[in-house]
Amino acid sequence: MPPYRRSLPCLALTGAVAALLLTGCAYRERVCPPDHYPVLAVNNSGRDCVPDGEEPPKGWARYPEGKVPEYLNDEWDRYWDDKTLDERGRIVPQPAG
């Protein structure tokens, strides 16, 4: 087999890696695993994930529609850094520490 034929797979892999790097493709970590949705602690700073189809446990609430974080450090994940929900579902500052 000619030497250039042995290097073709390596060249193809190198090209694929270069294409990913040049397109800015980046891995984004999801807030919750597949088949789960995020919830936050009422009047507290806690966050968790609940399996789809289940209601949040007592003391936890779903995020308001349109304000649900999907990825770590996305717009809504940062938004909720200093906010939570009260027992009526109103957005309030997180209690001091």
Side-chain angles (χ1 to χ4, degrees), residues 10-90:
C10 188
L11 285 173
L13 180 60
T14 302
V17 169
L20 284 174
L21 292 173
L22 292 173
T23 60
C25 182
Y27 172 76
R28 295 180 68 193
E29 188 173 353
R30 296 185 69 83
V31 170
C32 289
D35 303 324
H36 287 69
Y37 66 92
V39 294
L40 68 156
V42 174
N43 286 319
N44 206 327
S45 61
R47 300 179 188 193
D48 203 359
C49 297
V50 174
D52 289 346
E54 291 185 18
E55 287 300 313
K58 183 177 172 129
W60 295 82
R62 294 176 184 263
Y63 286 86
E65 189 173 334
K67 296 183 178 183
V68 181
E70 191 172 343
Y71 297 98
L72 294 179
N73 207 29
D74 70 10
E75 172 188 6
W76 294 114
D77 188 42
R78 291 188 311 270
Y79 174 83
W80 290 103
D81 279 346
D82 61 353
K83 298 169 192 66
T84 191
L85 296 176
D86 69 9
E87 56 282 338
R88 293 184 179 167
R90 296 177 298 196

Side-chain angles (χ1 to χ4, degrees), residues 1-11:
M1 177 182 286
Y4 67 88
R5 288 215 185 242
R6 283 181 275 192
S7 61
L8 285 178
C10 188
L11 285 173

